[in-house]
Structures are given as C-alpha cells and as structure tokens.
Amino acid sequence: MIYKKHRRLLIFILSALLGLLSSFTIPALSNSPSPQSPLPLIPRGGPEFPNPQSLAREGQQRYNAGELEAAAKLWQSAAEAYRKMGDREGMTKSLINKSQALQDLGLYPKACNTLLQAFAIKNPNCSQTQIEQLYKTLAQQRDSLTLTQAIGLHSLGDVLRRQGLLEKSQEILQLSLSLIPESPEKSAVLLSLSNTERILGNQIRDRWDYDVVTDIIDRKSISDVLAPYQQAFNYYIAAAKVASAPPIPKIQAQLNHFQLLLETKKWWRDQTNRRIASWSRFGESKLIQRGKDFVSQLELQLNQEAQALQNQISPDLATLTPSRAAIYAQINFAESLMQSAQINQVEPLLQNALQQARTIQDKRAETYVLGYLGKLYHKQGQLNQATKLTRQALMLAQEQNINGDAREITYLWQSQLGSLLRKQGDQKGAIAAYTAAFNTLQSLRSDLNANNQDVQFDFLQEVKPVYIELVDLLLKSNLSDDELNSLIVLNPSITQNKAETQKPQKRLELARQVIESLQLAELDNFFQDPCSEPADVAVQIDNIDANAAVIYPIVLPDRLEVILSLSGKPLQEVVIPISEQEVNQTLDRLYDYLDNVTINNSARNILSTSNPDPRELKENLQTVLPTFGQIYNWLIKPFEAQLDSNQIKNLVFVLNGRLQRVPIAALYDGENYLIEKYSVALVPSLQLINPQRLERKQLKVLAAGVSEQIQVRGEFFAALVNVPKELDQIKQTFPASQKLLNQEFTAKTIEKQLKLNFPVVHLATHGLFSSNPQKNFIITGDGKSISINELSALLKEPGTTVELLVLSACETATGDERAVLGLAGMAVRSGARSTLATLWPVGDASTTKFMGEFYEHLKKPAGKQADALRNAQLSLLESLKINPPFPELKNLPPHPYYWAPYVLIGNWQ
C-alpha cells in the first residue's frame, strides 16, 4: 500500500518529468478567501507567554500569501497562547480564523470541529446533535451574543453547507444574520445564506420527476422555473445593497447571482431539448412549438437580468484593491463570460488578475489564473500558448503540493494538459497527462467525497471526463509494454496483478481498471462518501465464477467499445462504429416507448389505462423489439462464439450512463430474449463484489409488506392487495421466516427483527429510487417512510448480516439513468451483497407470482441468485406465451414490460 504522502510525491515526480496539466470552475459559491477578513488581533503577551498577537499576525500574513496550512498552525498556536492567558475572546478569534484556513483547504470536518471548539463544545465531532444543541443554546442567549460569535456562526454556516447539512446551515446563518443587522458583516452573511438557499433550490429542482419538468415546459411556467431559487435571488440582491459592506462580498453576490441565471438557463435549455427530441419522434408538433416558445421566453427574461448584473459587475471589479478575493472574483467573472459566449472580454480580466497575483505574491491564485488563461487560449485554438500556460500553472500547483496539499488544483491542470496534447497529436503525452490526473484523483477519492453535494455534482461534470478521456486514449493506443508499465506505477491495484503479460491484455486491463475506478467514484459521488473500499488487487472473474462473463460497454464520443472478461482468458474488445449521440438517441427512443409517462404511446401509459388498446400495445412491441435487437448486436452478438465455446451461463454487466436504465434481460436476437439463454446480473464494480455464495441451509427471510392504501406526507399510495399472499408464499417456502404486515411493519420492528439474523430481507411496499439519495425511500405500515440512509443504517446494525435485499414493489424514478445507482448503493452501503428490485412498476398479481417462483428456485442448493431470477422470469415468459393478455399478441414474443424490469444488482452467486 502506498501512503498518501508518498503517493503525492510520486505524482509530483512523474508529473514533473512528463511536464504535465483540465478545465476548472472556481466554485460558484466561493466566498474565497473568506466571507470575512481574518478577525482583528488582540494585543497580548508577556515574558512568560508566547506573543499571541505576533503569532496571529504571522498567520494572517501566511494566509494572505496562500500558505494555508502554515496559517492554520500559527492561528492554532495563537489560540493556545490566548487560552493560557485566560483570554477567551482572543482564543475564539484565532480559532475562527484557523477554521477559515481549514475550509479553504477543503478540510471541512476539521474546520467544523475547530468552530465548535471556539464555542466551547466539549469533544467536538460536528454531529447533528452537537449542532442542534449549539443552535438551541445560542438562540436562547441571542441578546448577549457578541459580534465575534456572530462571525463564528457565519463561518459555521458555511462549513455546514459544504458538508451538505443545508437546513442546519440555513438555521445557523439566519441566527448569525439576526445578530448583525447594521454591521458591515451583513453583506457576507447574506451572501452565505444565498449560497445555501441556492443549493436547496437545486435539490428542489432535481427532485422533480421527468413528468413534472415536462409539465412545467408544457405550461411555459416561468414562475415555476424560478420558484426554487426565489429566496436565493432575494438574498443576493440584498447582499449587494448593504451600504456599509466592503466591496468583495457585494461583488461576490452579484457574481453568484449572475452565474445562477446562466446555470438556470442552461439547465432548462438542456431539459427542453431532451423533451423536444422525444416529441419529434412522435410527431408532436404542438408540443415541440410549446417547448421552443418556453425556452425563448425564459431565455429572454434571464438574459435581461443577466445583462443588468453584468453592467454592474464590470465597473465594480475594476475598483477592487488587489487581493486573493479580488483575483478569484475576476476568475469567476471570466468563467461566466466564457460560458455565455462573451470570450472577447475574458483575456483583459485574466491578465489583470495575473498581474495582481504576482504583485501580492499569491502562488495559489496565480496557478488558477494561469490555468484559466490556458483554458481561454484552448477555446480560441491557440494551442501552443495554451499548453505553455497550462504547464506553468501545473508546476506552480506542484510546488504548492510539496509543502501542502494542492491536489485539487493539480489534477485540473494535468487533465487540461492532456486535452491540449491530444489535440496536438501527442498521444503518448496526453496519456501520461491523463494518467497523472487519474492517479491524483485516486489519491483524492475519500477527500473529494467529504465535500458538499453541490461540489459533488460538479464532480460528475469535471472529474468523470478525466476517466473517460483516459480510457478513450488507452483503447486507441499502441504503447509498448515499458510505456504501459510506466503509466501504471501509481496504481497498486493494477501493478500487483502480474499474471497478464500480453500487450493487448495489459492495455485492456488498464482501461478496464480505469472504468472500474470510475464506477466506484460515481457510486461514492452518489452518496457523498466512500461506500466501500475496493480490493487492493484488481479483481478478476476467475476468482468469482468460472461460468460467468463480465461485459463492460464503454460509450465514447466517436464509438462504442465493449470489453469482455472471461475466466482464464485475456480480455477481449470489440469496437462498434457508432457515435455517443447515436447511442443515446437509441437508448432515449427505447425509454420513450417503454416507460416515459409523458408519451401517450409508451408501454407504461398503454397498460396503465383501465382498458388497454391491444393494437397500440402490439405496435409498441413491434417498435421496441428492433431496438432491443440493436443493443443486442452491440453488446452480445460480437462475442456469441466465445460465450458458447466457454460454456458461459451468467452474464454480468458493468453499466454506466443511460445504459443503466435498459432492462438487459430483454435484449433480443431476433428469435429469443437474452434471459432465455443466460442468467443476467448487474454490478457497480467487480471490486465491490463479495463472491461468497448464499448459504441455502435453513434459509430464513424477514418478509415485511404493506397491503392497504396508505397516505404519507399528503400523497396516497394504492393498496397492494396481493402482498399478504406474497408474504404467505415466502413463509411456506422458508418456514423459519418472519412476517410483518401493515401496522406490524415499522422501522422499529424491522430493527428488532434484524437482530435475529435474517440473511434475506424482503420488503413488499411502495418505494422509489432516484439519482437524488434524499429522494430514495420505502413506505412502512405506520404511514411513514424510511430513507435509503435510514434503511442502510438498519441493515448495518452490529450482528446483522444481510445477503440479499428484495424490494418487490419499489420502482426507479422515470427518466433517471442514475437511479440504478440508488439500488446498487443500497446493497453496498447496507452491507447486503445484492439487491433485487424493479426498474418500473409491475402489476401486484404478477409480482406475487414472480416472487413465489423466485423463492422456490432460491432454496435449491446448487442454484445461484441469478439462476433463481432467470427461472422466475422464464416462468412469467412461458405463462405469457401460453396465455397472452390479448389475442392480437398470440404469435409475438411477450412484451418486456410485463416481465423484464426485475434486476439483480451485486453478487449473483
């Protein structure tokens, strides 16, 4: 194992040798370097004490110079000196300043604990309990709190936002604001409140289902678009109007307001274009026109507001005194101008910022400005100049890395250099640059996931391309063995695998390992913390199941590549000459015809009516079968001979992007569905698989369900009348099982029963999984809901070992390709080795029949979980063939909507 310190040093050495540098956005919510300047010093000291004023002054000097770790240590020493002198006020100010330096370093838990220490909290751990108690205590003492405490609360509110505790951040910041009604600090606190409200607005917007967004577009409701952000807009405007405030927070408020308008415009344009593409497939000319009118009206309004802000920002920026905050403000504005296609105004801004950074000798700020100048020249096609500036930015970042931790800067410039070198035809240099960025990200994995949810979403936009670009380059490369070995020196999970010696195997193995790492990073990102530690050695299918094949589809801009892993064989690849756009259009078309609730002729809408039209369903089937056939030709057909000759029985898919919402079992070869020949399972990553087989002897199930109509938070959930029968079947199959029906099924009863060690937990109740972890829930019989985090915590209780979690009436959010991550993460986070669930709602009676078959096959000693799933699906298929729901479907394959949504995620053994 390579320790992080040594790994960073190796990254530095390799990067320096290769001359290595990504696009980066200074966070829109940045209050950098601080919402407030370091608090004023208190003159103290004497012969018997270190001079805390000198320590604090030096801390401020180091902070202003960008030496954040040194500043934090000096402020800690100052706080200790003040404490020994009995000066509580001086200690508090020093700790608040130390916390700000820790925040700027991204060390949010430490920053939070430091602030709690400043408020005299014993044994601080930044738990919600401690935060709630602090808020309660200070709210009661509101009239006696000092300005210093108000500033401390402001800083705490920022830390809580960055840790994703948005409601707590909101409360703490509102308390801080109430303590400083006429202070110059008011603008900075309003800015922080705006930033918190902005992320809360993102959460509201991102929780809207596909059909809710479609309805807003259809109604052309600008007010609904802006509603989630109205409070943020109000606070931004108020922050910019505080007369007594210093200029920095006022300009930051204007910049963040400006960025929010641009982001809102882009989000709704993308969402509307996605709907227009669907409507175009169905010739919905009226809807298409409404969508175009909506975008036009929205952009007209937002453009007018953005232009008014821009007219205020430009002259105000020119008056700022050089400082890190002023430099970052100029970078933020430059980035916004690039996003809004006003690129001709960017260079003067960045050149001025660069001169200021050099004047105040702030190396950290200088590396950002140089990197952004590189990005600007990249956009303008001036590749040589862009490369030169990017290298300079990278070297400065690496200098910072030796004495501190600047990895979050380093990977940006490494990947930007990779992009530049690739455009200039230097494939080897580009691979080296992206590999260095990849290794930097690997060492940052746990730290990145300590950031807040807003930063985490940027992680997908900025970090995922590093993985994809590296895989793209590797798969196209013709590097020698020595060159490949030099690239993987920083990845012990690959270098320890010495078995493969053939050049194609090494190239493909490295590409496969990067894709596995992307899967892990995306799963971590989904939950904002590392779900599970991967194995140190690259996991091979040989070690898990000799009769299984693992298939990795990799969607790249100009092609689809599929990697096949067979036991005891070198990795194989096939290249499908189809663009990412064509792949996504095919997958979107399939979704539209299967599960899109906003499309009249989707299978979901046809079958949800009280009297389905068999002709519509027949037409729908005849449309989706060729699409399932096309995906089969991509993923399976090229490997048919190898699968047959190696007697493969189980196909395991590692999926990403829109492929995650495809019911893989329904891939169609022109005569049969895939499930008719193979068992099928999905895994987020082989590195997360525990290959231990489910022990069949004396298997028992904790089976809980809700059969009655139930109301939760004002929403009614339909009765599942067949649930009692479903639970009875489980009890008959496994007599040692325990049933919990309706009111018996609560979070407390589940917690109590789990202590009796049930290897299988079966929940027959309504639930939803989406790309937003906070929108993942299941309904309990007492009219409450259990979130994915709460359920995971229950399943992880000491002494609890859950092998299989079955969610028989839950569904994934419509139109949400990342929703399957909720299912995958459920297993990983809870400790359950696998999860069985459905991609869309399935009929109550059909589910009961399916589950009965599944458990009958699960109890067979020699079978696998994937075999039990396959046999249950085959049973439904055969039943539908013999007794089709409509005579018109008699000579056609059974429609996948009836039987294909069931997916097994995780261990298939």
Side-chain angles (χ1 to χ4, degrees), residues 15 19-24 371 378 390-391 394 398 407-423 429-441 461-470 473:
S15 302
L20 305 174
L21 169 241
S22 154
S23 65
F24 173 67
H378 190 177
T390 299
R391 289 184 190 276
L394 178 59
Q398 291 166 332
R407 290 172 294 165
E408 80 285 357
I409 309 173
T410 304
Y411 92 83
L412 301 167
W413 308 149
Q414 287 167 334
S415 57
Q416 182 162 299
L417 182 62
S419 177
L420 284 162
L421 294 176
R422 182 173 191 175
K423 280 196 174 180
I431 291 175
Y434 274 118
T435 301
F438 168 79
N439 281 295
T440 305
L441 286 171
Q461 310 306 316
E462 295 176 359
V463 176
K464 185 173 181 177
V466 174
Y467 293 84
I468 296 299
E469 287 285 336
L470 179 55
L473 284 162

Side-chain angles (χ1 to χ4, degrees), residues 126 164 180 215 227 248 298 345 360 378 413 432 452 456 536 554 619 624 883 888:
C126 207
I180 49 174
D215 180 61
I248 285 294
L298 176 64
Q345 301 182 41
I360 66 174
H378 190 177
W413 308 149
N452 70 42
Q456 286 299 293
D536 284 340
I554 306 169
E619 291 174 3
V624 299
N883 298 300
E888 290 87 344

